[in-house]
Amino acid sequence: MSAADSADPPPDCEYLIVGSGAGGGTVAARLAEAGKRVILLEAGGDPRELSGGDPVQPDVNRLPHDYDVPAFHAFASENKAMSWDFFVRHYGDDTQQRRDPKFVERHGGSSVNGIYYPRAGTLGGCTAHNAMILVYPHNADWDHIAELTGDVSWSAARMRTYFERLEDCRHRPVQRWLSKLGINPTRHGWRGWLRTETAIPMEAMRDRQLARVIHDSAREAFLEGGNRMQRVGWFLKGLLDPNDWRLVQENAVGVRCLPLTTDGHARRGSRERVLDVARRYPDRLTIVMNALATKVILDADRRAIGVEFLQGERLYRAHTPPSGQTGKRRALYASREVILAGGAFNSPQILMLSGIGPPEVLRRHGIEPRVPLPGVGTNLQDRYEVGVVYRMNMKAWEVYRGATFGSTDPQFAEWFRSRSGVYATNGAILTLFKRSTPDVPLPDLFCMALLARFEGYYPGYSGVFAKDLNALTWVVLKGHTNNRGGTVTLRSADPLDTPAINFNYFSDGDDADLNAVVEGIRFVRRVTRKLRERGLVAREDLPGDAVDDDKGLAEFVRSNAWGHHACGTCPIGSPDAGGVLSSDFRVHHTRNLRVVDASVFPRIPGFFLVSAVYMIGEKAAEVILADAAEK
Ligand SMILES: Cc1cc2nc3c(=O)[nH]c(=O)nc-3n(C[C@H](O)[C@H](O)[C@H](O)COP(=O)(O)OP(=O)(O)OC[C@H]3O[C@@H](n4cnc5c(N)ncnc54)[C@H](O)[C@@H]3O)c2cc1C
């Protein structure tokens, strides 16, 4: 039965969902598969149908290859047809902010005063440009939510079932076969909609220098630290698979090989999921693209009944350049629920534009507070990442010989012909999970060797990937950051404006995060020591040999760190403690309104985010269907 009153406008669907990324796409597809009538509003267009250039070839259409080819993910993040360019603050303090070499004053003719933060305003959201890495969160992340809310459905053991439901694992062939006999100790999913594969560039093994880098780095990492027998045991069980349930349960550390969300070594994400379901059930799932949601329509009882939106291409000012148009004003109505999934920057913005949020912020912008909820837009969290960049003692990696990162080079031909070679990878050759100190409860450092120069995000950063062909970057990523002091707030009441975002780096947790990243830098220096002795590494470009004492390294981290896993801005938790959502994703003090995206996490989960967001998408669908069955 529809929950709508007869006085409401006639509903266009049962569920109206805003945003087709990892959260929104997942929940929309599952609800439609279960027989519900769903409309999915997406601000952008379909990335495989659009045309756009990137820093490698600004005036040439680089789609759909930027989307499809795993090694082109950085170009996808800057492809003009699909990118949303946010400029964020890491610090409120201007002097500290300007110490970051990535600080940008003006962009696209406007003053931005911030650090570039790529997002995708397109079908599939950030799954259309991310690095496709699917790493399972820590079990403690889920148990913490269960503890916080008293809702045992969030316990780690239960949450694994959502991963099993969504995954179609193709990188553990023996285990896949055993699963057919009902034996599944890895607790991978084998029949889900999201395929996972690993891509090991076999050429890498033929490239003597690269093989040496992999071998020596892995060896040094293995020799460092204790528990060698345990790590050998993990290797034998998990075969470098970070998502093997047995390793997840034991918070295992060591060398890992990253699973990617690819199918036949081409990108897959929520775009493919929603298009597939819309094709199979055209009467149930309608996707409305180029539709920028501006407001949730609440009735007098604070019940969400619909969404207002602007129809048109490139309306939002995160596009560079935006169309400059204001679009056609429209509204759609849902008989059951409205679900926001615009991501960590946009869901709080839409809530605030709808009168749901901190009353003083709303009043400042002339918005009538309908639902006072101070937590909206607070609790913004992210990782801290830095790059230790090495210049190798050769002109270019062998695997990059002749590479132009276009569709006419030998690497592309190989990917196109046989879906193999270096373009089938996302550029990562080796990954290490580690604890920054033996006493931290969970592994908190993720170190990844990339065949590229990567020092964080600034406009044009991806162009360097195609030029600097003899670089090796060890990305050091700090998991479970302590800082929860970031904010997303309104810049204005104009829905075409981006919100004001300040991560307030290092404002919580003393110097624990900072010290951990410094330890990460020292660790990768130890790991590369052998390569330097062999003369393979010419020099360390960043931070550089001159930066060696704790103070210098800490300053480097403060001024250079970046993140790309923004989350937590509509956190699950009680309203008194700054929470915005109940444990079933409902916005407090409202009816028929939920948020299902990276905003929901009270604390940033795991090392990577997208696996957790896909999982909560599946969980939300289950909860919503159970609620509908009761009514
Ligand atoms: C460059 C980059 C690389 C990354 N790589 C990885 C990785 O390898 N592994 C990993 O785990 N994580 C990665 N991430 C993070 C991960 O992809 C995101 O955390 C995840 O996609 C977030 O899902 P979401 O549903 O919250 O939001 P999104 O996926 O961003 O989806 C939000 C969607 O909502 C739409 N939208 C927003 N506002 C509106 C509106 N007002 N009206 C209509 N539609 C709207 C947007 O267009 C978008 O499609 C990466 C992120 C970036 C930026």
Side-chain angles (χ1 to χ4, degrees), residues 136-204:
Y136 196 77
H138 292 103
N139 279 346
D141 299 325
W142 303 124
D143 288 335
H144 169 251
I145 302 181
E147 222 168 88
L148 184 81
T149 59
D151 180 346
V152 293
S153 69
W154 284 93
S155 70
R158 293 240 200 131
M159 289 305 291
R160 184 69 182 195
T161 57
Y162 301 111
F163 186 75
E164 291 170 297
R165 191 172 298 174
L166 66 87
E167 192 192 21
D168 174 14
C169 173
R170 299 289 171 139
H171 57 93
R172 300 292 300 271
V174 174
Q175 294 292 336
R176 189 176 177 86
W177 185 82
L178 284 174
S179 75
K180 294 189 175 132
L181 307 175
I183 303 165
N184 189 15
T186 66
R187 290 194 71 182
H188 272 291
W190 310 102
R191 280 177 290 279
W193 54 269
L194 188 64
R195 191 162 285 195
T196 54
E197 303 172 327
T198 47
I200 303 168
M202 290 322 286
E203 295 69 23

Side-chain angles (χ1 to χ4, degrees), residues 74-298:
F75 313 137
S77 75
E78 290 201 277
N79 189 293
K80 287 289 168 229
M82 51 195 270
S83 66
W84 270 4
D85 303 338
F86 284 84
F87 286 85
V88 305
R89 306 282 299 196
H90 288 171
Y91 300 95
D93 178 65
D94 234 30
T95 314
Q96 177 60 43
Q97 183 61 92
R98 282 170 186 272
R99 288 197 185 115
D100 192 329
K102 302 185 291 300
F103 177 79
V104 177
E105 227 159 272
R106 296 186 68 75
H107 180 71
S110 307
S111 160
V112 290
N113 279 332
I115 308 288
Y116 172 51
Y117 201 111
R119 302 294 296 179
T122 196
L123 190 66
C126 288
T127 75
H129 74 183
N130 70 15
M132 293 151 287
I133 297 167
L134 196 80
V135 170
Y136 196 77
H138 292 103
N139 279 346
D141 299 325
W142 303 124
D143 288 335
H144 169 251
I145 302 181
E147 222 168 88
L148 184 81
T149 59
D151 180 346
V152 293
S153 69
W154 284 93
S155 70
R158 293 240 200 131
M159 289 305 291
R160 184 69 182 195
T161 57
Y162 301 111
F163 186 75
E164 291 170 297
R165 191 172 298 174
L166 66 87
E167 192 192 21
D168 174 14
C169 173
R170 299 289 171 139
H171 57 93
R172 300 292 300 271
V174 174
Q175 294 292 336
R176 189 176 177 86
W177 185 82
L178 284 174
S179 75
K180 294 189 175 132
L181 307 175
I183 303 165
N184 189 15
T186 66
R187 290 194 71 182
H188 272 291
W190 310 102
R191 280 177 290 279
W193 54 269
L194 188 64
R195 191 162 285 195
T196 54
E197 303 172 327
T198 47
I200 303 168
M202 290 322 286
E203 295 69 23
M205 303 307 157
R206 294 200 291 272
D207 177 339
R208 272 198 13 255
Q209 280 147 328
L210 187 48
R212 198 28 89 212
V213 169
I214 296 174
H215 172 268
D216 283 2
S217 310
R219 183 173 175 277
E220 290 293 308
F222 178 73
L223 293 178
E224 167 150 331
N227 302 337
R228 283 195 203 148
M229 284 318 290
Q230 195 179 25
R231 282 187 282 147
V232 170
W234 285 329
F235 171 74
L236 294 175
K237 262 191 267 185
L239 302 179
L240 309 183
D241 170 8
N243 300 339
D244 187 309
W245 179 243
R246 295 164 295 183
L247 273 57
V248 171
Q249 278 181 304
E250 294 182 34
N251 295 314
V253 295
V255 178
R256 296 288 176 273
C257 181
L258 292 177
L260 303 183
T261 50
T262 53
D263 182 356
H265 301 291
R267 174 187 296 279
R268 286 294 177 274
S270 48
R271 172 190 175 276
E272 288 65 36
R273 172 67 170 149
V274 294
L275 288 178
D276 173 54
V277 173
R279 184 186 48 76
R280 285 190 284 130
Y281 304 106
D283 51 331
R284 297 188 203 158
L285 179 58
T286 306
I287 304 170
V288 183
M289 284 185 258
N290 301 311
L292 182 78
T294 55
K295 188 179 176 179
V296 177
I297 305 169
L298 298 173

